[in-house]
């Protein structure tokens, strides 16, 4: 394997749909807990801008809560993607990243059973889908280049994929073919 050539590839442009990345370096979402009451401030904007300025082609933000009452417990410094103040904060984050030619996706998140609720009625599932949809719309409104849906680590969505955490017998059963 030619290593220098494979490293060079990292620095070549890449397209995801209509999003053009300057290179193939992508920053993983990492929860930071620096957004009091869910509102990302100037320090958060500076943190992401700095990553873009120093060559990250695509930033995926830390997990950001959708608007749902059971989203979480004891995580008051995790940013939200719904209140007016939080959206104003995110628009400044996006602006800063774009100013230095970076791209940024929002990761949207619900902690599901890892917060406190382990059982969802069909009505709640419908509400949750709407909460994710609204978060995606909000991400688009504030100028994010895309979204990533958090669907790992035993949180909501992932908990539906496993027989130990999904005992449903309806169409949301873990064995239901999703694709
Ligand atoms: C401090 C910390 C916070 C993280 N927060 C998130 C998160 O909010 N959302 C997520 O999907 N993954 C999160 N992760 C997982 C990382 O994005 C990444 O997938 C994981 O560290 C594995 O990548 P690695 O093998 O390069 O370390 C977090 C990881 C760390 C270390």
């Amino acid at each position: 394997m030619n290593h220098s050539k494979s490293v060079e590839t990292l620095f070549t442009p890449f397209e995801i749909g209509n999003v053009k990345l300057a290179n193939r370096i992508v920053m993983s979402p990492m929860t930071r807990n620096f957004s009091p009451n869910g509102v990302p401030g100037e320090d958060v904007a500076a943190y992401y801008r700095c990553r873009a300025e120093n060559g990250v082609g695509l930033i995926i933000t830390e997990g950001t809560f959708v608007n749902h009452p059971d989203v979480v417990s004891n995580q008051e410094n995790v940013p939200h993607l719904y209140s007016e103040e939080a959206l104003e904060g995110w628009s400044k984050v996006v602006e800063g990243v774009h100013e230095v030619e970076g791209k940024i996706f929002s990761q949207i998140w619900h902690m599901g059973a890892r917060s406190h609720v382990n059982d969802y009625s069909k009505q709640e599932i419908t509400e949750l889908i709407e909460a994710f949809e609204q978060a995606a719309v909000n991400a688009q409104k504030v100028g994010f280049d895309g979204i990533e849906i958090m669907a790992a680590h035993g949180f909501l969505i992932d908990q539906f994929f496993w027989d130990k955490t999904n005992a449903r017998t309806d169409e949301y059963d873990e064995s239901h073919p999703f694709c």
Side-chain angles (χ1 to χ4, degrees), residues 3-4 13 29 32 34 47 68 84 92 124 129 152 155 159 168:
H3 287 286
S4 69
R32 306 184 59 238
F34 279 108
Y47 168 85
H68 185 269
E84 204 174 305
K92 291 192 178 129
E124 283 167 313
I129 292 168
F155 295 115
Q159 75 188 72
R168 305 181 75 93

Side-chain angles (χ1 to χ4, degrees), residues 28-31 61-63 107 109 148 150 153:
S28 265
M30 282 174 283
T31 292
T61 69
E62 64 210 277
Q107 189 190 57
W109 185 25
E148 179 180 81
M150 171 30 133
H153 307 160

Side-chain angles (χ1 to χ4, degrees), residues 42-55:
E42 284 175 18
D43 54 329
V44 176
Y47 168 85
Y48 285 117
R49 182 190 169 110
C50 177
R51 270 74 195 165
E53 218 163 16
N54 285 283

